Amino acid sequence: MTHQALAQAARLAPVVERVHGKNHPEMTRVRQLTEQLMATVDPTRTAALFAELRAVTDNYEVPGDVCEAFEATYQSLAAADAQQAA
C-alpha cells in the first residue's frame, strides 16, 4: 500500500504544482520530497522525509481553494506516511 499511495502522489504532485504552485508555493517542496521518497530505500531517510512533508503540508491539511488532484495528493501522502510509521 505504501508504494502504491506514494506512486500516486508522485504522479499527481507535478500536475498539482503546475496548477496550484502560484497560490501554494509549498507544492514545489512537496513534489521534491515525494520524488526523494520514491528514490529512497533507507528507513531513517524515509522517516525524515515524511517528517518534513508533515511540516510543509501542516500534517496534510488540504487547503480550501484546491482541486481534487491536490486533495488526492495529500491523502496519498498521508496514507503512505501512516503505513511506513506502522
Side-chain angles (χ1 to χ4, degrees):
M1 172 61 176
T2 301
H3 184 73
Q4 186 177 10
L6 194 54
Q8 178 178 359
R11 283 190 304 272
L12 292 172
V15 175
V16 172
E17 178 189 18
R18 192 168 46 252
V19 173
H20 292 285
K22 184 175 180 180
N23 293 328
H24 294 281
E26 71 277 8
M27 279 310 300
T28 297
R29 190 65 185 138
V30 169
R31 178 191 49 79
Q32 293 168 344
L33 290 167
T34 303
E35 289 171 352
Q36 290 175 34
L37 280 165
M38 289 294 292
T40 300
V41 294
D42 175 54
T44 303
R45 178 77 176 131
T46 297
L49 291 169
F50 275 117
E52 187 175 348
L53 268 172
R54 286 190 299 276
V56 168
T57 64
D58 194 23
N59 287 312
Y60 310 108
E61 182 70 32
V62 178
D65 64 338
V66 298
C67 67
E68 290 177 7
F70 193 119
E71 185 173 358
T73 302
Y74 275 25
Q75 288 174 346
S76 295
L77 288 169
D81 191 353
Q83 284 294 92
Q84 70 84 30

